[in-house]
């Protein structure tokens, strides 16, 4: 057993062999809570100040923050709170944070539930819940700055409690769960799943009138508080009770819709997510937003699109979020790299095979295969990650109209998908860039040469792909100081050459983004891209581009907008366009190549 235990599942507490540790003032407790909600990561100073003082911090906020951190250091055993260039971080060992133990046991329970081992599911989920002493950080949950980080953890706790009751129902413990279900719906009346469980438990206990009364209560609560009718799943259960459907006693409720017979496949739930990015940093707000969206109570499939230029960290963010919420999808996690596996229209057969559908049952026609896939996704809690999408129509054909699946998509431009949540990514701040560099090159090296580290970050212009290459290069050249790389990156004409290591390069990323308009595919857009890389066109108006390209303003505007859609260019203020700094270097290279090729042909 660990010598120290940090607890966030209930009141914030820290225990060691001597008992409960006094954590001091409310601000010190808020500081510790903010660090524990992001273990192993540097929490930026600005976020900690927001957590402690809201929108009106004192002039001495940074000094006061340092004082609170030092006071916590003095009461916590070991050197747990580390000051970084960008903020503070708490160091934890395995098993010291109750949330980590909870998530591990809950994951085992959900996996057992997905494969139909209900006894094991009850055991593992029960063990997970035994460590919960109440709502997450219930003594400081009114802190608005912490609310976004607390919400997904609290949602996980509640959904695991629902899974536990579901597993007990599947084992035939319908009489035993009636009391805890009544208590659950009283505390959380807007969650429909426990209402469905309670209706099923009462019906199976020989009380159909009680089941119908529960539906009436649920309908009244939803109407009074939300102005909504019960979901189609709950209404279907109500009809099944009225009809005394034999299926109500034959099977227990599924994860979302009670009283619907469930086919359990012998194929294990797929777990296809690639490893998360070790250097992920600086996207806390976006990650929290996506996590809250995916684990929210809204019914129906959830679709989120993360878009931005190449190298901006779309895949890293999506994989980070997918790993955080993976346990919420016991039906499996599917991953497709569309840039490798081809257009989305070819994806359905592959996904159906991975979901356990025999090849003989998969239609040859793409539209029929997509229809079969939608049917399977509508009845399974599956998380689908589609990386590198370039088209909307074929993607829309993959998404069912009902069910509890979720789809995370990355794309260089926004996609036309009805109801999708869109998250646009921009370059990282210098502070977050230092965090990425430190995670890869070593924080001690960054702290030892802060000036050189700042120069490297500045030369990478907030592009995570460039920062990742720079950090990895330094990690594999341990004898080289940061000033060595900063010196090599300083000349603009060499910068793209230097940002190349281990088979990855910024130039290759930009070249792939340029391919849709290269080689005569869209000569006007290609000419506009080269124009924006020329000196004097750092900020270019449509009229300027039209004059140089010798076309009307409408054609010039369309070509420039195409560059923005491909993630090659950006809109500036008013009627202007520009290239990001590293993209300008790539464009300048292309602009230099064309005259050289023409000269060679003439010779």
């Amino acid at each position: 057993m660990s010598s120290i235990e940090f607890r966030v599942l209930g009141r914030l507490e820290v225990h060691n062999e001597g008992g409960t540790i006094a954590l001091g003032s409310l601000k010190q407790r808020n500081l510790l809570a903010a660090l524990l909600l992001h273990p192993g990561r540097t929490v930026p100073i600005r976020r900690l100040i927001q957590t402690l003082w809201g929108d009106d911090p004192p002039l001495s906020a940074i000094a006061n923050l340092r004082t609170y951190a030092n006071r916590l250091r003095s009461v916590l055993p070991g050197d747990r709170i580390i000051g970084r260039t960008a903020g503070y971080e708490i160091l934890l060992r395995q098993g010291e944070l109750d949330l980590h133990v909870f998530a591990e046991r809950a994951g085992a329970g959900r996996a057992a539930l997905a494969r139909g081992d209900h006894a094991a599911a009850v055991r593992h989920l029960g063990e997970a819940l035994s460590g919960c002493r109440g709502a997450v950080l219930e003594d400081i949950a009114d802190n608005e700055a912490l609310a976004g980080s607390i919400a997904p953890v609290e949602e996980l706790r509640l959904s695991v409690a629902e899974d536990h009751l579901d597993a007990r129902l599947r084992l035939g413990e319908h009489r035993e769960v009636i009391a805890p279900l009544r208590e659950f719906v009283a505390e959380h009346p807007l969650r429909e799943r426990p209402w469905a469980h309670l209706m099923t438990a009462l019906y199976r206990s020989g009380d159909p009138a009680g089941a119908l009364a529960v539906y009436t209560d649920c309908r009244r609560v939803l109407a009074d508080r939300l102005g909504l009718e019960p979901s189609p799943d709950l209404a279907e259960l109500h009809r099944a009770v009225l009809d005394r459907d034999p299926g109500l006693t034959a099977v227990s409720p599924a994860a979302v819709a009670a009283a619907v017979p469930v086919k359990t496949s012998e194929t294990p739930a797929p777990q296809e997510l690639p490893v998360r990015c070790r250097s992920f940093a600086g996207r806390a707000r976006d990650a929290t937003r996506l996590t809250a969206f995916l684990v929210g109570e809204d019914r129906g499939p959830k679709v989120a699109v993360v878009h931005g230029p190449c190298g901006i960290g779309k895949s890293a963010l999506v994989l980070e979020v997918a790993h955080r919420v993976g346990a919420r999808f016991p039906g499996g996690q599917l991953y497709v790299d569309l840039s490798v596996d081809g257009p989305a229209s070819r994806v359905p057969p592959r996904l159906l095979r991975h979901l356990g559908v025999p090849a003989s049952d998969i239609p040859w026609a793409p539209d029929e295969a997509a229809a079969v896939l939608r049917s399977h996704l509508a009845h399974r809690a599956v998380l689908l990650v589609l990386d590198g999408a370039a088209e909307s129509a074929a993607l829309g054909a993959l998404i069912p109209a009902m069910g509890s699946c979720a789809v995370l998509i990355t794309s260089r431009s926004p996609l036309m998908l009805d109801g999708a949540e869109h998250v646009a990514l921009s370059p990282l701040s210098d502070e977050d860039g230092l965090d990425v560099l430190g995670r890869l090159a070593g924080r001690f090296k960054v702290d030892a040469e802060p000036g050189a580290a700042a120069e490297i970050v500045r030369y990478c212009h907030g592009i995570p792909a460039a920062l990742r290459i720079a950090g990895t290069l330094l990690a594999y050249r341990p004898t080289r100081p940061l000033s060595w790389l900063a010196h090599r990156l300083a000349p603009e004409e060499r910068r793209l050459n230097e940002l190349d290591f281990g088979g990855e390069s910024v130039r290759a990323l930009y070249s792939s983004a340029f391919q849709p308009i290269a080689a005569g595919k869209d000569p006007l857009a290609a000419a506009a891209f080269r124009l924006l890389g020329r000196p004097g066109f750092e900020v270019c108006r449509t009229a300027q581009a039209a004059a140089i390209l010798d076309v009307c303003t409408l054609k010039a505007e369309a070509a420039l907008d195409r560059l923005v859609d491909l993630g090659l260019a950006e809109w500036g203020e008013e009627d202007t366009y520009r290239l990001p700094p590293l993209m300008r270097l790539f464009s300048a290279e292309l602009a230099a190549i064309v005259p050289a090729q023409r000269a060679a042909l003439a010779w």
Side-chain angles (χ1 to χ4, degrees), residues 31 34-35 38 41-53 62 65 82-90 145-146 149 280-285 428-436 439 443:
L31 171 58
L35 298 178
H38 303 88
R41 297 180 185 168
T42 300
V43 183
I45 289 175
R46 64 178 183 276
R47 185 183 305 159
L48 293 175
I49 290 176
Q50 176 76 19
T51 299
L52 269 58
W53 289 282
I62 294 179
L65 175 62
I82 308 299
R84 306 295 191 192
T85 304
Y88 288 89
E89 176 182 338
I90 188 164
L146 291 175
S149 299
F280 177 80
R283 304 289 188 198
R285 179 176 298 178
L428 297 175
S429 66
D430 289 349
E431 186 178 51
D432 292 330
L434 286 171
D435 194 5
V436 173
R439 289 170 184 267
R443 299 188 189 280

Side-chain angles (χ1 to χ4, degrees), residues 32 46 51 113 142 152 164 181 245 288 309 355 371 513:
L32 180 59
R46 64 178 183 276
T51 299
L113 187 61
D142 58 347
H164 184 237
L181 277 169
D245 189 334
T288 299
L355 288 171

